Amino acid sequence: MAKKDKHVSETPATAWLKARGVAYTEHPYDYVEHGGTAESARQLGVPEHAVIKTLVMQDERAEPLIVLMHGDRQVSTKNLAREIGVKSVEPCKPDVAQRHSGFLVGGTSPFGTKKAMRVFVEAGVLELPRICINGGRRGYLVGIAPQVLVAELGAVPVRCALVA
């Protein structure tokens, strides 16, 4: 993976990982507005399927939740709602997502969020040998074992990916 020599200062996400003794690798890249996981995957030379996006959503009671999804897939909110036993799920507006997570959109990490939220992970993510996920800042991913999501975050596996 490219740019291993560049170190990024600690974020709430990396502090959270360190406090739990979670091993991770740092993968900074040049953030591109609206570039998404396709851009970070391209710059880092990793499959977009292994770049995991952190999506802040809410149910019909406006209770926030996090969905961790493959970069090259979309979330079926209908399937997600059915799987987690709520009437509906929708993405939070950017300012609401930022208020819940404490992170800027484009730099949202599931680790070290401002507010504790339920976390759901697309089951296929857990089958990957290693993933890259946001480290709490735009242009910064961390590489971790996907099992960390369940072991440390309590992420619940779901099947809600829409295949492009």
Side-chain angles (χ1 to χ4, degrees):
M1 294 184 195
K3 301 186 184 178
K4 287 183 184 172
D5 56 328
K6 197 170 161 192
H7 174 73
V8 175
S9 59
E10 191 162 87
T11 68
T14 56
W16 190 94
L17 290 167
K18 280 181 187 163
R20 285 158 183 78
V22 174
Y24 65 90
T25 53
E26 297 185 312
H27 305 280
Y29 65 96
D30 296 323
Y31 180 77
V32 175
E33 194 73 37
H34 305 296
T37 55
E39 183 60 29
S40 57
R42 184 189 68 72
Q43 285 190 41
L44 297 172
V46 298
E48 189 180 5
H49 197 67
V51 177
I52 308 308
K53 49 191 172 186
T54 303
L55 305 166
V56 181
M57 298 195 168
Q58 63 186 18
D59 65 17
E60 73 279 358
R61 296 181 322 277
E63 281 295 318
L65 54 104
I66 289 177
V67 181
L68 304 173
M69 180 57 70
H70 296 286
D72 59 353
R73 299 284 188 270
Q74 298 300 315
V75 173
S76 165
T77 53
K78 193 166 140 183
N79 290 352
L80 178 61
R82 190 179 314 119
E83 284 233 9
I84 68 174
V86 298
K87 286 186 181 132
S88 66
V89 176
E90 64 182 8
C92 287
K93 290 184 172 29
D95 62 317
V96 174
Q98 188 173 327
R99 198 165 52 245
H100 290 314
S101 71
F103 296 108
L104 280 176
V105 172
T108 304
S109 178
F111 311 116
T113 56
K114 195 161 139 186
K115 180 176 187 172
M117 294 177 265
R118 294 185 301 160
V119 180
F120 299 93
V121 58
E122 173 58 34
V125 169
L126 302 175
E127 297 163 12
L128 297 170
R130 194 143 179 89
I131 60 171
C132 286
I133 193 163
N134 200 286
R137 163 172 303 139
R138 290 175 172 178
Y140 179 56
L141 301 181
V142 291
I144 60 168
Q147 292 70 27
V148 167
L149 304 174
V150 175
E152 299 295 335
L153 280 177
V156 175
V158 292
R159 294 236 176 244
C160 61
L162 288 174
V163 180

